Each structure stands twice: as structure tokens, then as C-alpha cells.
Amino acid sequence: MALTMLNELLIEDPSPPVLLYQVSKTAKLDTLNYQSCFMQGIFAHFPEILFIHRTYNPRGKVLYTFLVDGPRVQLEGPLARAVYFAIPAKEDAERLAQMFQVFKKFNPAWEKVCTILVDPYFLPLPTLAMEFPAAEVLPSAFHICKFLQGKFYQLSLEQPVERVLLTSLQSTMCSATAGNLRKLYTLLSNCIPPDQLPKLHSYWLLNDRIWLAHRWRSRAESSRYFQGLEVTTRVLSQFFGTTPSVELGVTSLLRYMQQNSGDKASFSLGLSSQSSRAPSDLSPQSPKAEQLVEACIQHSLHTICAGPAAQLCLGELAVVQKSVHLIGSGSEKVSIQILEDTHRVQPQPPASCSCYFNQAFHLPCRHILAMLSARRQVLQPDMLSPHWTAGCAASLDDILGSKWSESLDKHLAVTLLTEEVGQLLQHCSQEEFERRYSTLRELADSWIGPYEQVQL
């Protein structure tokens, strides 16, 4: 099965990539090294700074994704900066050395690598230093930010304290001056219980060498940088990190790369010939095409919706225009991610979404509008509830005052949390499942009491 799916990629790709893999005795994928011709060209143009991200699969395999980084890199879009994928047989020194050596063999520009950015818990540092002796290895600002965010949630702090810490962290990451980092360090020292503070490794904030590799970005550039990496890591997690089958996850990811990354990145790099596409063509990535699609959606909202409904939906569309990312689709539902919010969209009329806006107002939310934009479609009358059509709705103040429901807000929050917990339990090992189930069992008993069996 692994051989069949991976060989199909070679047939489908017009420019055969570097694809080296080994299959175990049970026909399971053991190791993999992949780089398309275009990815190879991107690395050759921007070899100075390499960003390495690891994605873990439920089966225990690890996907290493190499991305280019630095001031010269202006590529946008999920995985546009990815230049290499690798899955080692094991994360030991010998196997990782082999992985890096294969990368070096097919990329002569590796000798120009000056800095390698990794997550703070990247254990094979000696192997990395040995294979790239001239490069400086540093923890990345993105991984430190994600680490601290996770710790804030784990500590179960009071909501106002948690909110202050998250806001301060976001602000500091977008302007990582020595003064701002020192302020965040002091804030952590004052807000985090002393026995928990060492677990946050707050001394990273005072290591100026880490932040020099990130500080050159403006506040706006930093915001786009973190959002871009957030989307990239979530795409990797969706394709590889949540799929029990390593072969299926890798095949889906590489097919996604073939279909989505090449044209946009080549346009930014200027690598493709100018004559290959007429200036008037409206490709899916063309700014002119995007503006036309957005204008058509706005027109359909004004035409079909009542005035108050159009106002609400245009506010949602404004968010979509700045931060929408279409993650994936199935036969019946589409997964939409906007920054850190993921919701389920039912595209069949009447369109619905799991977010609060759609559930409370029964109007096309930013996630539905994102789906329309990605599919280059417009709003249709049958996608809207009858009481929202032009001429049927009351004033905007009456609508906002009558539709909000605290109980619905709580119900949606619980539903989303339940779905997320269920997904985590389904895709973990048996040992991890038992540990997590035991934790839920204790939590339920602490709320209601062990004398009453709680259905989980």
C-alpha cells in the first residue's frame, strides 16, 4: 500500500521530485525523504536560515519539516516556505545523521546555512551541530511562544490573569525588544506560582541571542510571521499528526503540496517564465481574482440579505479578507481555520456552521464566507434563513438584543470542547488513552462525587 501511494505521486508530478523511502517487512513506511524540484530551488535561493519543525503521528513516527526563514524570504501561504520533508526510522543519533546527510547530498547550498531554528526540546542538538558545523542552532521565537501559551493553559490560572499573560505574550512576540522581554519576564515572576515558574523556562526571554534572530521584523511583519507559522503547523498536524496511517498522511500532505504551493511561490520568486501565464489570467492566487470574488460576495450579501443582516455578514467578511485559510474538505463538511479558531461548515443549503455567530443568528458567518471565497462562489438565496431575506428583518438593534443566548453560548462551548477531547482520545495510544480517561474520571467524580457513576 505504501509503495503504491508514494509511486502515484511520482507519476502525477510533472517534475519528478527527490523521493527516497524504505518500507518495513509489514509493508509500513519506515523512512522517507522528499523534496520537489521547486522546493530544492527555494532552498538554493534562501539557504541562510533553516527552520525545523517536528510533527508527531499517533503511531509514534515523526515528520521533520524544513522551512526557509529570514529577512529575504517573502513567501506567503501555508507551506510555501517548506523545502524538505523527512521521516527518520527512529529519533536516535545514527538515524538522524543519515536524514541530515541525505538532505545535504541533494542540496549543495547547505554549506551556506548560518542559523538553524528549532523547538526548545530538540534533543538531537549534537547531531545537528556535527552535520552543520558552521551553523548556529537556536530555539525559535515561534516555538517558545507556543510553549508558553501551552503552559499558561495548563496552569489553570484565573481568567483575568491568563488573559493578561496571553495578551502580553502576543504583544511581546510582535515587538521583541530587550525592554519588552524583560517586562514579560517580570510579569511571569509576579503572576506564576513560585513552584510552577521553573517549568516555564522564563530565562529564555533574557537570552538576547535568541531574539536577535527575530527582532528585525516590524510589528506587522511579526504578526504575519506567527500567523503564517501557526497555519503551517496546523496544516502539518491535520495531514500527518491526526492520521493514524503514516502512509495516508504523507501522501495527502505531499499531494496538497503539489496542488497548492508551487504556483504561488514561483510567482513570488520570479522563477517561472513570464510568458507562461497571460497578465489578464485570473489564477486562484491572483490579487485581481481575489478582489473580484470578494466584490461578488459583497454584492450577493447586499442583494439577498436584509440591511441589518448584510451589516453583520460584511463584518464577518472583513475578518475573512485578512485572515482566512481553507484547511481541508470532505464529501459533506469543510474544515475552516481562521487564526486559532476551527469550526465545521455544512455547505449544503441552508449552509450552517458550528460557530456561535451562525448558531445564534443563522447568518453566513466568516467560515461560510471563507468557504465561498475559496470555492469562488457567491451567496445563494437558499443558503439564508427566510426571516433574514430583504424586507423581512427588523432593525439591527432589535436583532442583536433578541438573538443572544447565554445558555446557547455555554452549550456551544461545551460541544466544541467535547468534540476536541473526543478527537484527542481517538487518536492516542492505548496507554495514553487510559491515562487521559483516568484524569477525566477523577475530574467528573470531583464535580459530582464518586458515589454517583458519571457517564463519560
Side-chain angles (χ1 to χ4, degrees), residues 288-346:
K288 189 180 294 183
E290 292 179 0
Q291 292 171 8
L292 181 60
V293 170
E294 291 166 1
C296 290
I297 292 176
Q298 291 177 8
H299 177 73
S300 66
L301 287 170
H302 282 298
T303 302
I304 298 172
C305 297
Q311 291 180 48
L312 289 170
C313 294
L314 287 171
E316 292 286 281
L317 181 61
V319 177
V320 168
Q321 291 168 337
K322 296 178 182 179
S323 56
V324 62
H325 296 279
L326 181 63
I327 298 303
S329 61
S331 58
E332 297 181 354
K333 292 188 178 181
V334 179
S335 297
I336 298 293
Q337 177 183 331
I338 294 179
L339 297 184
E340 295 187 355
D341 297 327
T342 302
H343 294 283
R344 300 291 180 185
V345 171
Q346 174 70 42

Side-chain angles (χ1 to χ4, degrees), residues 257-309:
M257 287 290 295
Q258 290 177 348
Q259 296 172 351
N260 293 277
S261 63
D263 290 341
K264 187 168 187 176
S266 62
F267 175 79
S268 302
L269 277 172
L271 294 177
S272 59
S273 62
Q274 295 179 355
S275 61
S276 62
R277 180 176 297 166
S280 60
D281 285 351
L282 293 179
S283 66
Q285 292 81 19
S286 163
K288 189 180 294 183
E290 292 179 0
Q291 292 171 8
L292 181 60
V293 170
E294 291 166 1
C296 290
I297 292 176
Q298 291 177 8
H299 177 73
S300 66
L301 287 170
H302 282 298
T303 302
I304 298 172
C305 297

